[in-house]
Amino acid sequence: MSIAASPEIAAAYVTAGWWGRDTPTDLIRRNAVERPDDVAYITWRRGAEEDSSGNIDRTTWAGYDRLSDRVAAALLAAELDRGDRAAVILPDSAAVHAAFTGADKAGVVVMGIGHRAGPAEIAHLVEKSGARAVITGATTQGRPAADVVAELRRSLPALAHHITIDSLGQDAALFLNGEPAPAPESALEFGETVEARRLGASELCLLNSTSGTTGLPKCVMQTHNRWFYFHQKAVQYSGLGTDEVFCVPVPAPFGFGLWTAHYTPTILGAPTVVMADFDAAALLRLIEAERVTVLCAVTTQFIMMLNSPAFDDHDLSSLRLMFTGGEAIPYQRAAEFEDRTGCTVLNFYGSNETGMLSGTRLSDPRSARLRTGGKCEPEMDCALYDPDDGQRLPELRGRGQPACRGPATALGYYDDAKANSELMTNDGRMLMGDIVEIDDDGYLRVVGRTSDFIIRGGKNISAPAVEDEVMTHPAVAMVAAVAAPDPVFGERVAAYVELVPGTSLDLDGLREHMAERGVSRESWPEHLFVVDALPRSSGGKVAKGQLKKDAADRLVAEAGS
């Protein structure tokens, strides 16, 4: 049984022109016919020398279509039912996009897992999604993928099949359970099978993870149409055209990476540069060599570019736009990026769940583009709520917790009634985890967060989830995880701990413990402060505001010493 948007809502959105009936399969096929030899993806990965020259693979539209057909054929040979899930764990590359599209052609829902996810997160997401197959490269995080999958199967017997894509481009070899994967049937029979099975534009097509406040990630249900709507707004606000060259160093399974690398370039028929391994110097070289016009990067990435000694060694004059977001943008550094490249920085405000709630435009002044999230989208039916009692505020002005419903929103969380009840307002809108102010001109500015998250380089890290893991160390009696300010990543994880009497703990020892438990690296504390007692508020809770200030003060003192 498929999961899809309400037929009535889908029909209304199609009539309004916000949604359509095409999927990436239709667009890729069209591009493969109209421009078969044009490049769809330029994949860079670090070479053996670990310098910015690296290795580059070029995948054409025809090659992309063929590779996704071969992925679909492998999934069909595995006898997955329509609507079954397949986990995809691949570096950013042509291969990961072909895996997404191949699953779509076979009528299989993707569980997109970031290729840097730790073993515990992978196991949770595979189990949560009920995946019957997993698609990987030959290796996963430096280990043979077959070994990783064998470990998963020991505790997850429903995971019956392993598809391996042995390289990142169109000439990759595919294996099904260790044997060469069968090729598609005759073109006619294969085409008929795909037409009968492939997923519709308003059906659940992909699950991706988002940080939860109480532990392991939740799974957000994605449809193609929400990203087709997002594409329309991006074109409207920024003037994107068919002659663009995109560069997207953000991860494919997540919202920002989806619309910028999987949807918008395919709709436009434009090439996209992707990076299997992020490297600031390599990114600068690629922008110059490929004459990139549109860069899509989180704050951490463009700051690392600005900090690179190689920045002024490259001609970046081809850049016209940079999309960024996912967190508050540091005004001075974003303005510096504009001044040093000549491009315009735009950002959209929203979440993996809500999609685009508001956005900035080329016509907005710099102060609005870099200091606000733009103006709310009329069709997203935005409202403000009192964060204390959940009541809707009388107008879309002033301070409150924003929520929305409209063509950009996801279908909610997969198999998680409790999380869905917390996500939705009583009148059917999806809540953001922020406190915002909307001024008299309609510009939205984030002023705080309701959720206990640390945003490290655009990635939400749950402080309670970090605390749960740190507490498993035998030397830790009490812990509080807070955000420590950082000039590059925006925030890093700082852990304040009270120790069990007679024990000791240093940062290396704690991180070794986290690694042994399979915790993703992004969630490892990067600062450890041992204290006699954690400060408490009058209500008895840990006073995290004091700890955040203390962390900032300590880091300033360290920098000055």
Side-chain angles (χ1 to χ4, degrees), residues 46-316:
R46 186 172 286 113
E49 296 80 19
E50 297 194 0
D51 62 19
S52 63
S53 58
N55 299 314
I56 290 180
D57 175 272
R58 296 179 189 274
T59 296
T60 65
W61 288 108
Y64 180 17
D65 192 33
R66 286 194 302 271
L67 181 56
S68 62
D69 276 350
R70 291 164 58 208
V71 172
L75 289 166
L76 293 171
E79 299 184 343
L80 269 65
D81 294 331
R82 189 178 190 276
D84 277 350
R85 275 75 61 204
V88 175
I89 314 170
L90 286 165
D92 289 290
S93 58
V96 74
H97 295 283
F100 291 174
T101 301
D104 206 55
K105 289 178 176 179
V108 172
V109 175
V110 166
M111 175 69 249
I113 301 177
H115 76 283
R116 295 185 63 196
E121 182 176 346
I122 291 172
H124 167 73
L125 293 172
V126 171
E127 180 177 23
K128 180 70 176 176
S129 65
R132 291 186 56 207
V134 61
I135 303 174
T136 71
T139 61
T140 298
Q141 294 189 336
R143 297 179 59 202
D147 293 348
V148 174
V149 175
E151 290 178 5
L152 286 170
R153 281 175 167 165
R154 282 195 281 273
S155 58
L156 301 172
L159 184 62
H161 302 286
H162 180 199
I163 296 170
T164 307
I165 304 178
D166 77 343
S167 63
L168 301 182
Q170 64 188 40
D171 297 322
L174 268 66
F175 299 87
L176 173 60
N177 299 324
E179 301 294 330
E185 308 160 10
S186 71
L188 178 60
E189 291 177 354
F190 181 73
E192 290 175 346
T193 300
V194 167
E195 286 307 304
R197 288 181 56 109
R198 71 190 184 104
L199 299 173
S202 300
E203 283 187 275
L204 170 65
C205 64
L206 182 143
L207 303 169
N208 62 15
S209 63
T210 190
S211 298
T213 57
T214 58
L216 290 165
K218 302 184 290 289
C219 296
V220 180
M221 296 189 287
Q222 308 282 347
T223 64
H224 294 305
N225 262 330
R226 69 183 305 231
W227 299 113
F228 278 93
Y229 165 78
F230 207 124
H231 163 79
Q232 292 182 56
K233 304 307 291 190
V235 170
Q236 177 186 341
Y237 284 14
S238 67
L240 293 172
T242 57
D243 58 347
E244 309 292 357
V245 178
F246 288 79
C247 182
V248 185
V250 294
F254 305 105
F256 193 3
L258 282 173
W259 80 264
T260 57
H262 194 66
Y263 288 96
T264 283
T266 299
I267 295 168
L268 296 174
T272 304
V273 179
V274 291
M275 305 183 78
D277 314 282
F278 180 75
D279 181 287
L283 179 53
L284 292 165
R285 187 186 64 79
L286 287 165
I287 291 170
E288 178 180 36
E290 305 298 338
R291 305 306 295 160
V292 169
T293 62
V294 181
L295 174 65
C296 307
V298 296
T299 299
T300 301
Q301 291 170 332
F302 80 75
I303 289 177
M304 291 175 75
M305 292 169 67
L306 286 169
N307 291 347
S308 171
F311 191 96
D312 292 324
D313 297 337
H314 295 284
D315 176 8
L316 307 181

Side-chain angles (χ1 to χ4, degrees), residues 21-37:
R21 293 185 172 85
D22 281 351
T23 72
T25 291
D26 299 296
L27 300 169
I28 293 160
R29 285 174 170 171
R30 192 175 306 154
N31 290 338
V33 170
E34 295 176 354
R35 48 177 69 84
D37 299 324

Side-chain angles (χ1 to χ4, degrees), residues 265-402:
T266 299
I267 295 168
L268 296 174
T272 304
V273 179
V274 291
M275 305 183 78
D277 314 282
F278 180 75
D279 181 287
L283 179 53
L284 292 165
R285 187 186 64 79
L286 287 165
I287 291 170
E288 178 180 36
E290 305 298 338
R291 305 306 295 160
V292 169
T293 62
V294 181
L295 174 65
C296 307
V298 296
T299 299
T300 301
Q301 291 170 332
F302 80 75
I303 289 177
M304 291 175 75
M305 292 169 67
L306 286 169
N307 291 347
S308 171
F311 191 96
D312 292 324
D313 297 337
H314 295 284
D315 176 8
L316 307 181
S317 61
S318 62
L319 272 184
R320 184 175 72 84
L321 287 169
M322 180 175 72
F323 290 103
T324 190
E327 58 199 315
I329 301 170
Y331 178 87
Q332 294 298 334
R333 300 313 303 271
E336 179 187 352
F337 195 89
E338 286 192 337
D339 292 340
R340 292 176 70 180
T341 64
C343 81
T344 301
V345 175
L346 295 178
N347 80 95
F348 296 147
Y349 171 70
S351 68
N352 202 3
E353 295 87 341
T354 65
M356 181 184 182
L357 187 148
S358 68
T360 58
R361 306 168 181 247
L362 284 177
S363 57
D364 286 328
R366 177 185 272 190
S367 59
R369 287 187 291 100
L370 305 187
R371 286 197 167 106
T372 80
K375 297 180 179 181
C376 293
E377 304 305 319
E379 57 266 29
M380 287 303 294
D381 192 14
C382 301
L384 291 177
Y385 293 79
D386 187 317
D388 294 324
D389 62 16
Q391 295 300 306
R392 182 179 173 183
L393 300 178
E395 60 180 347
L396 196 60
R397 291 289 183 274
R399 179 176 291 213
Q401 185 176 359

Side-chain angles (χ1 to χ4, degrees), residues 452 454 463-464 467 479-483 496 535-537 541-550:
D452 201 357
I454 298 156
E467 290 161 356
V479 59
V482 299
Y496 281 78
R536 304 298 177 101
S537 67
K541 295 182 180 180
V542 174
K544 287 196 170 182
Q546 293 183 37
L547 294 180
K548 290 178 183 178
K549 182 178 184 305
D550 180 77

